[in-house]
Amino acid sequence: MEFRSIIRIVGMLIGLFSLTMLPPVAIASFYDDGGGRDFLAAFVVTLFIGFILWMPNRHSKRDLKVREGFLIVVLFWATLGSVGAIPFLVSSSIEMNVASSFFESFSGLTTTGATVIEDLESLPKAMLFYRQMLQWFGGMGIIVLAVAVLPMLGIGGMQLYRAETPGPVKDSKMTPRIAETAKALWYVYLCLTVACMMAFWLAGMSLFDALGHSFSTVSIGGFSTYNDSMGHFESDMINFITVLFLIISGVNYALHFSAFSAKKFSFNIYKDDPEVRAFIFIQAFVTAICFIMLTNHNVYETIEHTFSQALFQAVSISTTAGFTTTSFSDWPLFLPVMLILSSFIGGCAGSTGGGLKVIRVLLLNLQGMRELKRLVHPKAVYKIKLGNKALPDRVIEAVWGFFSTYALVFIICMLALLMTGMDEISSFSATVAMLNNLGPGLGQVAVHFNEVGDASKWVMVVAMLFGRLEIFTLLVLFTPVFWKN
Amino acid sequence: MEFRSIIRIVGMLIGLFSLTMLPPVAIASFYDDGGGRDFLAAFVVTLFIGFILWMPNRHSKRDLKVREGFLIVVLFWATLGSVGAIPFLVSSSIEMNVASSFFESFSGLTTTGATVIEDLESLPKAMLFYRQMLQWFGGMGIIVLAVAVLPMLGIGGMQLYRAETPGPVKDSKMTPRIAETAKALWYVYLCLTVACMMAFWLAGMSLFDALGHSFSTVSIGGFSTYNDSMGHFESDMINFITVLFLIISGVNYALHFSAFSAKKFSFNIYKDDPEVRAFIFIQAFVTAICFIMLTNHNVYETIEHTFSQALFQAVSISTTAGFTTTSFSDWPLFLPVMLILSSFIGGCAGSTGGGLKVIRVLLLNLQGMRELKRLVHPKAVYKIKLGNKALPDRVIEAVWGFFSTYALVFIICMLALLMTGMDEISSFSATVAMLNNLGPGLGQVAVHFNEVGDASKWVMVVAMLFGRLEIFTLLVLFTPVFWKN
Ligand SMILES: [K+]
Ligand SMILES: [K+]
């Protein structure tokens, strides 16, 4: 392991990250909300941490191997999550202990979007802006991770998306170097954010709200600057814009990149992608179930309002955004549980969404069908195809393995939460919400996470990280074979 | 499909099964409990049903193919479960509607062991005996299914146990014909039942109780003739005997058969089996966690009593027997949830236990480890080995497929129960208890299932059947490819 080179990179990242504390300083002075000094302090501390990590190792510039990629990815999220907590820790406007600060920071950066803050509206604008921005940078990190890094590391079948192997997105021919890929994706991400902000603004939000909510929409993060989340605006237009941009952000960014860079924009890039088709189908299916059940139980007065609520909650939860308009946890019967379970599917691979990812669920489904067919015709040979390409066995095994390990980590996290004293429904739903980077749970954690104990919060921080790093990136660090030369 | 041949076989089975109504008649006249007439009526009805199915098809004796095996297995359990409900339906001693009667019968025959009867002790002896006997016959059916039929059908990697393929039990060289295999296993099963009954009797049970509880112990069924289940006897010796025979019955019966038929009994047959070793380790592990947690929380007064309770509940729940001594659902913190989740592992393949089966969990674990190793060394070739034999990819894929489908069926059953109006914790735990053929759940269904609605009961009947038929046997009937010629 090239530890010194790794520490150098981490130091540089932290130094860069310290710059994210400066926009809140500007916001604070603009709104004169008194939050500026805290962020200035946080900026200095963060920059200093980055400097002392970088300084002694600045000449270690060895080439890094794939194996060291795992460590860098984990350190990237773990250290940025940690220094991201500094503004919450030093803040004079809200009293937050270490566990709460780390929870809020990791929840932002992993785009989970669960909050420990009960009264958001009492916070200074600077702090609100910082939370939204954490999600935006987190979303950017996720896209680079999912499109450029994970396929290289081969996590859970994502070698499928390696540019050199045959696969659904081989046409996009992502440049192999992470830096260039990141730049290209950054451009797409930025354009979508601006479009989303403009739409929110035209629909009646203030510029501040429009910017903040566009950050947490394109990142599928789910943070809001209001206690009632998107419900605050009571606007069907704003709900619809949110749904639209969540669906766009739930699609593989490599596809967006292809669509953007094509000479003539073609909708077929999306239409021909089996994952996008499955993703749209899932959104429609979940919406339809919600709509039918809500109609049968006369939960809302008009048909239009029922549909609007069904669509918003279905898309918000199943893409793992976690925005709410009403308290969907009080919806009748099985709807709350179905909705949070739908977050296991999540967004497409290479999107900012969480969960298992649509492509994996699609493959699991195809594989399950194949097992059934094999029972009837044991001697026939069935290939798993995506589009017209048969998938290699290695990818299929990796997807099965991913799913089983996801289930195991889920059970361990849930038992750990029960152990810290949470009740069954809260533990279950909190684990779903953290591992899938969804945000809100049910029961005690349906709205905020302030009432859970510190031990529970730490468990959840680990669960968010497991979810965001697609389990294996983090898990592999615990194997002896990883550390052996 | 040779439908007439299949119906002939089902008719014969029902005719044979009608004989199980006669021992209760004898019990009724011996104890003079007035329950005899009901069982005589049930006998006549059942025999008649069998006769009208058999009579018109008695000359259809075509050879059946493997594909038809699926249909016969499903029909076997579905029809016997249905006619098994007749004594509950016609009983004059207890008022039970159709849903409750079917639930009780399927719960007995699938060795789930959940009951809708609140006051068992008010029932006539004949009825109590019949319930215990249902479990015993169910257990016998499971062993034959698991040892002789499923490997032939190739369900969820169980082709591993086909006598002609290399595998851990290839030494036992089971005779290929189901009838002979069944006879051999029957002998082992009978011997174990007699040994268990003698042990219970010597430990102080009445002969009636000893016989009844040996039925539900060797079948890992969990029915009791007392409201307090095994807790009624308040005897550490009886608890220990139960634990011993549950562990014996949780082992692959093909191994018992090898051990019985070997010239010189050798313990090595068990010791060398990787599945048995994992099974014993799991029992010890779950017991240890319960013991430590109960000690820390001072739940019981003495260390001995704490250990006895921890051992009994851990083995009873994790082997999927579902006997209780105390209300373990009131144990502190995460113990109730951990215990019912441990039933997902269940017994060894070819045992009377439920759940995923130890061998599959062991393989999933080995496969997960392999995926982690592959991430670090993408070009290395890792084989999955059990003992010294590398397993074919087909088996490994089948195990992954089994697990994913199990998870999917679990979610569907749980949502269906929520839809029928049950609360979250009851739906969750009832699904675990039904699909793993465990018995008791948590919350509303911790002791009996009488308070749940009829719709919920029907869902649970299906879930029990899914669990007992290892998901795929039943699921394959819903695929078009199964019915195509
Ligand atoms: K989220
Ligand atoms: K049972």
Side-chain angles (χ1 to χ4, degrees), chain B residues 111-112 220-221 320-321 437-438:
Chain B
T111 75
T112 303
I220 315 198
T320 75
N437 299 117
L438 164 61

Side-chain angles (χ1 to χ4, degrees), chain B residues 71-72 81 97 137 141 168 251-252 266 273 298 303 368 384 389 458:
Chain B
L71 196 56
I72 291 182
N97 68 6
F137 283 119
V251 167
N252 193 332
S266 165
D273 187 73
N298 291 310
I303 261 300
I384 302 240
K389 291 272 174 193
W458 288 115

Side-chain angles (χ1 to χ4, degrees), chain A residues 110-114 135 219-222 319-322 436-440:
Chain A
T110 60
T111 75
T112 304
Q135 296 221 306
S219 64
I220 313 197
T319 59
T320 75
N436 295 333
N437 300 117
L438 164 61

Side-chain angles (χ1 to χ4, degrees), chain A residues 54-66:
Chain A
W54 170 79
M55 185 63 190
N57 305 304
R58 67 190 180 284
H59 299 302
S60 304
K61 292 183 183 179
R62 302 268 181 86
D63 272 344
L64 297 178
K65 289 179 218 91
V66 167

Side-chain angles (χ1 to χ4, degrees), chain A residues 396-465:
Chain A
I396 292 162
E397 285 172 18
V399 172
W400 287 132
F402 186 82
F403 178 72
S404 309
T405 313
Y406 210 82
L408 183 69
V409 171
F410 177 85
I411 286 176
I412 292 171
C413 288
M414 180 172 135
L415 289 176
L417 286 184
L418 284 166
M419 206 164 179
T420 59
M422 283 173 72
D423 68 271
E424 287 93 349
I425 181 76
S426 302
S427 305
F428 174 79
S429 62
T431 312
V432 179
M434 296 301 116
L435 210 55
N436 295 333
N437 300 117
L438 164 61
L442 303 172
Q444 191 190 4
V445 292
V447 182
H448 61 76
F449 285 68
N450 201 26
E451 274 157 32
V452 303
D454 283 354
S456 310
K457 280 177 191 150
W458 287 115
V459 172
M460 290 187 216
V461 165
V462 174
M464 289 182 220
L465 212 52

